Amino acid sequence: MILGIPIAHGNTAKIYHHDNQIIKVFHEHLPKEEARHEAIKQEFAYTSGLPVPRVVDITEVQGRQAIIMEQIQGKTLGELLLKNRDDVEYYLTLSVDVQQKIHQIEAVSFTPMKAKLKSKILSAQRLTDKQKQKLLDQLDQMAFDNKLCHGDFHLFNLILSGEKVYIIDWVDSSSGNRCADVCRTYLLYTLHFNEIAEHYLTLYCEKSGLTRNEVLECEPIIAGARMAEIVPTENPDSLLEIIRRHTD
C-alpha cells in the first residue's frame, strides 16, 4: 500500500487518505497493541450511537500498526472557525452539544481515567516528587464515575459533514469524571486557542448545570498529567504555573 503524503499528523500517528478511506498509521515507538486498543474505543463510541467514523480494519502498513476507517467528508470545526471568527458562538455550541452526548454514555469497560491520570503524573519528568505527591493526593480526593470521556476533545477533533458533527481521535478516551474531561478541553484552549477558552467553559457550564469551580478544581491534576505529554508547541512553564498555584 503506497500512501503518499500524510494529510495530518500528531503525537501518536500520521493520517493518510487512500481509496476513499482514512488510514491512521501509528508511530513505531508505541506499544504494539495501540491500534487495536484505539479501534476498540472508537467502535464502542460508534455502536453507542455517537457520530464516529466506522472502523473498517486493524492492520499493518509498512511494518507499522494502522487503523483503516471510513472517510468523513467535511472540515473540522477548528478550520471553519479560523475562517469565520464571527461564528464562534455557533461552533462552540455545536461542540458543547456533542461533548454532552459523549458524557451521557456509561463506559464501564474503558480504561479508568484515574489510572491514566496517575500514570501520567508519575511519568512527568519536570515535576518534583513533592509536586507529584500533592497532585496524587488531590487525585485520590476526586470522585470518579463511569462516564465516557473523550480525553482530547476540541474543535479540531470534530468534523462538520453536512449538518452532522463527527468525533475523531479516540486514543485518549477513558471512563471517568466529566468535569476532568471538560477541564482538559478548557486547558487545551488556554494553551492553543486562548480567546475561546472562557467562552467554551461558560457555555458548557450553562448547558450542563456544572459550576466553573467544579470544573477548575481538576485543573492542577489535568495540568500535571499534560506535563507528561511533551508537546513541542506548548510552553511547559504555563502548566507549571498552574501546578505551583495549587501545590506550593
Side-chain angles (χ1 to χ4, degrees):
M1 184 184 297
I2 300 174
L3 296 179
I5 299 172
I7 60 173
H9 57 85
N11 291 333
T12 61
K14 292 181 179 179
I15 310 298
Y16 298 86
H17 176 217
H18 181 75
D19 286 346
N20 296 316
Q21 294 176 324
I22 294 297
I23 318 293
K24 184 170 187 176
V25 182
F26 289 76
H27 300 323
E28 59 184 348
H29 69 273
L30 293 171
K32 64 180 181 179
E33 293 294 300
E34 192 77 12
R36 187 178 70 84
H37 289 158
E38 180 173 345
I40 289 171
K41 293 177 180 181
Q42 186 166 323
E43 190 64 18
F44 173 85
Y46 178 84
T47 57
S48 296
L50 290 171
V52 175
R54 180 176 56 87
V55 173
V56 176
D57 195 11
I58 306 167
T59 186
E60 281 194 3
V61 175
Q62 298 173 358
R64 298 188 181 184
Q65 55 187 319
I67 301 174
I68 301 176
M69 65 191 83
E70 69 170 317
Q71 180 186 12
I72 303 300
Q73 299 286 350
K75 293 186 179 297
T76 69
L77 296 189
E79 292 172 303
L80 293 169
L81 178 56
L82 289 175
K83 294 181 179 179
N84 306 278
R85 290 183 179 270
D86 291 340
D87 294 331
V88 59
E89 180 87 13
Y90 173 68
Y91 294 122
L92 282 178
T93 298
L94 284 179
S95 75
V96 167
D97 288 345
V98 170
Q99 194 172 23
Q100 286 190 285
K101 290 178 182 177
I102 295 173
H103 293 158
Q104 291 170 5
I105 294 172
E106 296 286 330
V108 178
S109 62
F110 267 45
T111 302
M113 177 189 285
K114 184 175 182 179
K116 287 177 67 71
L117 291 173
K118 181 177 181 179
S119 176
K120 286 187 175 183
I121 289 169
L122 288 171
S123 66
Q125 295 181 2
R126 289 196 58 177
L127 295 179
T128 66
D129 289 343
K130 180 180 178 182
Q131 288 171 329
K132 289 179 182 180
Q133 189 56 56
K134 287 193 174 183
L135 291 175
L136 293 177
D137 289 344
Q138 292 179 30
L139 181 63
D140 283 339
Q141 294 173 19
M142 280 180 62
F144 287 90
D145 48 27
N146 295 313
K147 299 302 182 185
L148 179 60
C149 295
H150 183 273
D152 196 26
F153 189 91
H154 52 75
L155 294 173
F156 291 92
N157 274 338
L158 299 169
I159 299 174
L160 182 61
S161 181
E163 296 183 355
K164 194 170 183 179
V165 179
Y166 287 82
I167 316 146
I168 60 173
D169 200 359
W170 286 86
V171 64
D172 290 314
S173 57
S174 64
S175 171
N177 183 325
R178 64 175 177 155
C179 288
D181 201 40
V182 174
C183 188
R184 162 85 175 194
T185 300
Y186 172 77
L187 180 64
L188 292 176
Y189 286 153
T190 62
L191 294 171
H192 296 281
F193 219 172
N194 188 54
E195 63 269 29
I196 69 170
E198 296 299 331
H199 198 158
Y200 158 76
L201 184 56
T202 298
L203 265 177
Y204 193 97
C205 289
E206 286 177 350
K207 284 177 167 286
S208 67
L210 292 176
T211 67
R212 178 185 175 86
N213 285 342
E214 284 177 305
V215 173
L216 294 184
E217 281 177 355
C218 307
E219 192 174 29
I221 295 167
I222 300 302
R226 184 66 173 176
M227 289 289 295
E229 297 180 36
I230 311 177
V231 181
T233 56
E234 291 179 4
N235 179 5
D237 290 339
S238 299
L239 298 171
L240 282 171
E241 177 56 32
I242 294 170
I243 295 164
R244 289 186 183 118
R245 287 202 307 263
H246 295 270
T247 59
D248 286 354

